[in-house]
Amino acid sequence: MVCAPAAALGRGALWAAAWGVLLLTGAAEAEHGRKKVVHVLEGESGSVVVQTAPGQVVSHRGGTIVLPCRYHYEAAAHGHDSVRLKWTKVVDPLAFADVFVALGAQHRAFGSYRGRAELQGDGPGDASLVLRNVTLQDYGRYECEVTNELEDDTGMVKLDLEGVVFPYHPRGGRYKLTFTEAQRACAEQDGILASAEQLHAAWRDGLDWCNAGWLRDGSVQYPVSQPREPCGGLGGAGSAGAGGGASGGVRNYGYRQNAEELYDAFCFTSNLPGRVFFLKPLRPVPFAGAARACAARGAAVAKVGQLFAAWKLQLLDRCTAGWLADGSARYPIVNPRARCGGRRPGVRSLGFPDAARRLFGVYCYRAPGAPDPAPGGWGWGWAGGGGWAGGARDPAAWTPLRV
């Protein structure tokens, strides 16, 4: 950065002192009529000084959030129209993806941010970015860069999401996923690979899982809340990872240089725009009948991530196993009780039962605005024999049944 004259430094210091505390009203706080006090970083030199919120801002999938960024510009020779504002997302330690650029009246958003990103425009010096309809992929760190003809300055903002981390492996068994396959598996179950920070937060919240899994940075880790010999030992000098010791911790295999190594995955998902519900047909169904059963209620078979989100964020509690879209059978427990799989809350798994021989109900997911063609608990099936919505019978012969 080009050094500024002493006079400019003095004016910048006065401005920084005046803006020692920035009042930022985020979208989430506005809903509750509150203001959020954000302490900002103070620039030391230069005629362009950028200030962003330290720590992180928090939203959820489908929400609206403001990524705060303000700048001070000593416009002795040039107006604010000559200042370029640029937002990028950090995708790797040395790689960035363009999000939004503004120069005067010309504004442009890029890629998946088109139609969702715009400047807040709260007076001169405000470079804050409003991001609407937040997605799982929006999670991460963003850089706010302000540039004039001679100088620039940057600030960093971290966007975090409310949600839940869940371990995952496919029907083929444990330790079957490369890094790329783990990314795809999480996406198929309505999630993304979790970050190391998200896994550590889940461990602090009680997650205990004795199988190593990929994280989004290419590392392989696993959380242990209850130390035991098969899961990295009982703690002490030999424990690795954050929080290692007698109280457990996140065991860390480090960054795997060979992306073809095979592990499980730790996925992350956030708030659901729709609703997960348990459908108990007149008779339990094999896996082949699950999709038809949900379709009769204007829904689809729920994905694993959707069930975890419904358990964690919508407090879905049901002590009955049901089919999910990947062929597994699971059930969510918010209030632990006898005969419901243990003394801790969580999503219980029965693994991947025989799809043809085992019979269950089904967990369905209905998207927002989708109508229920069978309100009041009615669905479609065969009045006599052969299972409910299962088998190979002609759907044209279905008749209304209580479900």
Side-chain angles (χ1 to χ4, degrees), residues 354-369:
D354 188 304
R357 296 178 179 274
R358 297 295 300 274
L359 305 178
F360 298 97
V362 54
Y363 285 95
C364 306
Y365 171 74
R366 185 182 296 121

Side-chain angles (χ1 to χ4, degrees), residues 295-341:
R297 298 297 301 271
V301 182
K303 301 177 180 179
V304 175
Q306 291 169 338
L307 184 64
F308 268 91
W311 161 72
K312 183 72 172 182
L313 304 173
Q314 298 178 357
L315 302 183
L316 179 63
D317 184 285
R318 181 88 188 196
C319 190
T320 310
W323 291 113
L324 293 179
D326 67 340
S328 64
R330 308 174 193 243
Y331 60 100
I333 297 297
V334 174
N335 301 306
R337 49 204 184 272
R339 300 182 182 180
C340 290

Side-chain angles (χ1 to χ4, degrees), residues 110-194:
F110 297 87
S112 64
Y113 297 94
R114 290 193 183 100
R116 299 194 299 123
E118 63 182 1
L119 290 180
Q120 179 174 248
D122 187 18
D126 184 19
S128 302
L129 190 71
V130 179
L131 190 58
R132 307 183 190 281
N133 192 22
V134 172
T135 69
L136 293 177
Q137 291 71 26
D138 291 340
Y139 169 85
R141 290 178 171 82
Y142 292 80
E143 184 179 85
C144 173
E145 180 184 39
V146 180
T147 307
N148 68 3
E149 292 183 353
L150 298 176
E151 301 183 1
D152 62 23
D153 196 14
T154 61
M156 195 72 69
V157 180
K158 181 183 178 184
L159 172 59
D160 200 1
L161 298 179
E162 297 172 345
V164 58
V165 172
F166 61 97
Y168 186 76
H169 70 86
R171 178 181 288 275
R174 301 193 185 281
Y175 294 173
K176 299 291 186 180
L177 299 173
T178 65
F179 177 72
T180 301
E181 290 168 343
Q183 290 178 310
R184 184 164 56 248
C186 288
E188 290 173 350
Q189 299 308 318
D190 193 49
I192 57 174
L193 275 178

